[in-house]
Amino acid sequence: QVQLIESGGGLVQVGGSLRLSCAASGRTFSRYAMGWFRQAPGKERELVAAISRSGRSGGSTFVADSVKGRFTISWDNAKNTVYLQMNSLKPEDTAVYYCAANGLGYVVKSATEYDYWGQGTQVTVSS
């Protein structure tokens, strides 16, 4: 069993920055790959970024084109925490952001592949 607790959301002006944190608990957490999704009102949930610790290079990351160059995902093993650093925020980044874990252990884009979800944290970018 994996439990995910997000924090770090809030209200920020255009061009500002926020860092979201996802603290994970569970003895088997190290086997999971992690993703950050977001869902805006009336829109489908979309993958923003994902990270795994598997693979020849020790891991891989994915960042959606819509946020590439502005968002960065990272993993602090010692703290069992995944971060989403969001810079140069735009009004279209406004959404509820969710942290999720998938037991496959590698980066996947479909929300249906993720087994555990956090409660979500609201990010609002004002113009």
Side-chain angles (χ1 to χ4, degrees):
Q1 187 77 7
V2 174
Q3 293 181 323
L4 305 174
I5 301 176
E6 300 122 333
S7 60
L11 175 64
V12 64
Q13 292 186 331
V14 169
S17 297
L18 284 173
R19 188 177 77 161
L20 305 183
S21 300
C22 175
S25 62
R27 290 185 296 174
T28 59
F29 173 67
S30 60
R31 299 194 292 108
Y32 288 79
M34 304 297 296
W36 282 101
F37 289 78
R38 67 184 181 187
Q39 188 165 21
K43 295 188 176 181
E44 292 187 355
R45 190 169 296 190
E46 64 171 346
L47 180 65
V48 175
I51 189 167
S52 74
R53 288 186 285 196
S54 62
R56 184 178 304 175
S57 62
S60 63
T61 59
F62 164 83
V63 179
D65 288 343
S66 58
V67 302
K68 195 166 291 182
R70 300 188 297 121
F71 289 14
T72 302
I73 188 170
S74 61
W75 201 328
D76 187 327
N77 291 341
K79 296 182 179 180
N80 266 1
T81 300
V82 176
Y83 301 99
L84 184 68
Q85 178 66 45
M86 305 186 296
N87 300 325
S88 302
L89 284 161
K90 304 176 180 180
E92 52 264 42
D93 294 320
T94 295
V96 178
Y97 284 70
Y98 298 90
C99 173
N102 86 61
L104 297 172
Y106 51 86
V107 171
V108 290
K109 299 181 182 179
S110 173
T112 60
E113 299 286 357
Y114 286 78
D115 305 294
Y116 300 99
W117 292 83
Q119 79 283 0
T121 185
Q122 177 71 47
V123 171
T124 303
V125 184
S126 63
S127 57

